[in-house]
Amino acid sequence: MTQRPLFGAVLSLVALAALTLPVGAEATRPRPRAVVELFTSQGCSSCPPADALLTSLAAEEDVVALAYHVDYWDYVGWEDTFGDEDYSDRQRAYAKSWGSSRIYTPQMVVNGAKGVVGSRRHEVHGALDGVTLPLPVDIVREGDTLKIAIPPNTSLDDAVVWVVTYLDRADVAIDTGENAGKSMVYTQVVTGRQALGMWEGETGADLKLPLDEVLVAGSTGLAVIVQQERNGLPGPILGAASFER
C-alpha cells in the first residue's frame, strides 16, 4: 500500500472574513480536543492491546484516532496488510523532531507533541488529560462536496493542512509472525495522507473536497488536520476534524 495523491481533488483556499455554516448543511462530530496517532503493526505481539485502546478512543466524540501501520516489523515473517514505509517515516520524523533516533511499537502520539507507549492505558490517558486544540476546524457536507472552514488566528504560526483517509474497521487473519493464528480487528486504519495546502494565521482557509474522489479504495472516513512543521519535521497539531460516510 502506498499513499495515493489526491490529484483529482478540486481544492480552493481563500481568505475567510467570517466562519459560517450553510443552512441545512450536514455537520460532523463535535470539535475534538485531541488527535491520537497510533503506530502499530500486525507483526508486533505487544500491539493488540494498543489497537483495542485506539478503538475505544475512537468512540469518544472529542478524539480523532488514526492508526498508522508501519512496515519495519515485516521481517519477522508477516507482511502487514496495511503497512507502508511512509508511515514508518512519519514515526521517524516525530522521533527526530524530539531529538531521538528511537522508534517502537506500539506508540501513540498525542496532538503531535508527545509520544507514549500505546499499550499503557494510564500513560495514554495521562497524555490526554487536559489537552486541547486551539484552532477549530469545521467540516460540512453539501451533496457530493465537503466544505472545510478554518478561521484565522494571528496568535498561531502558519501550518500545513492535511487530509488523512482511513478505514473504520478491518478483520485480518494472521498466518505467520508473532501474532500467528490470531484473527484481529483493526480500526481507524490510515489508507492515505496528502497535504492540501497552507493555513495562514492572518487569513484562515476555506477548502472544498469532492467526496467521491477522496474516499476511494475502501476508505470510509477522513480527518482534516492542521499541523505545524519545524525544519521540515512534524510539530504541534493545531486543529482537526473528521468525517465518516
Side-chain angles (χ1 to χ4, degrees):
M1 179 183 297
T2 57
Q3 290 182 234
R4 180 188 56 81
L6 303 176
F7 292 121
V10 180
L11 310 176
S12 65
L13 284 82
V14 298
L16 289 176
L19 183 62
T20 59
L21 299 182
V23 176
E26 180 184 337
T28 54
R29 60 169 62 185
R31 177 179 173 182
R33 65 188 176 93
V35 175
V36 178
E37 298 169 282
L38 170 65
F39 294 93
T40 186
S41 173
Q42 296 169 6
C44 162
S45 62
S46 59
C47 284
D51 298 321
L53 178 55
L54 189 81
T55 298
S56 67
L57 292 175
E60 299 185 16
E61 288 290 305
D62 58 356
V63 174
V64 174
L66 298 168
Y68 287 91
H69 284 239
V70 300
D71 68 342
Y72 53 81
W73 276 98
D74 291 357
Y75 79 94
V76 175
W78 176 258
E79 185 174 342
D80 193 307
T81 56
F82 302 112
D84 195 306
E85 183 180 3
D86 288 332
Y87 307 153
S88 302
D89 288 343
R90 177 162 177 78
Q91 188 183 21
R92 293 186 182 99
Y94 268 128
K96 187 175 181 180
S97 72
W98 300 330
S100 174
S101 60
R102 177 175 176 261
I103 59 173
Y104 60 89
T105 57
Q107 182 184 41
M108 286 190 186
V109 176
V110 176
N111 288 351
K114 184 176 183 179
V116 296
V117 178
S119 56
R120 296 178 183 171
R121 183 176 295 268
H122 67 286
E123 288 189 12
V124 173
H125 285 287
L128 285 167
D129 187 32
V131 298
T132 60
L133 294 171
L135 186 66
V137 177
D138 285 297
I139 302 177
V140 295
R141 178 177 180 176
E142 289 187 329
D144 295 329
T145 301
L146 291 182
K147 293 189 174 182
I148 302 159
I150 312 171
N153 186 329
T154 56
S155 69
L156 299 172
D157 292 335
D158 296 352
V160 181
V161 182
W162 297 88
V163 61
V164 181
T165 55
Y166 61 85
L167 175 63
D168 62 345
R169 177 184 171 119
D171 297 78
V172 179
I174 300 175
D175 296 329
T176 58
E178 290 188 357
N179 290 315
K182 294 182 179 180
S183 294
M184 300 296 301
V185 176
Y186 295 101
T187 59
Q188 309 302 107
V189 180
V190 172
T191 57
R193 183 171 176 270
Q194 179 71 20
L196 299 180
M198 294 296 298
W199 170 84
E200 296 180 342
E202 292 187 355
T203 60
D206 189 13
L207 301 89
K208 295 181 180 179
L209 297 176
L211 187 58
D212 290 339
E213 294 187 30
V214 178
L215 291 184
V216 297
S219 301
T220 59
L222 63 85
V224 174
I225 296 174
V226 185
Q227 185 168 21
Q228 292 178 335
E229 289 190 357
R230 296 171 176 171
N231 300 318
L233 299 173
I237 293 174
L238 303 181
S242 61
F243 171 87
E244 289 192 3
R245 180 156 59 179

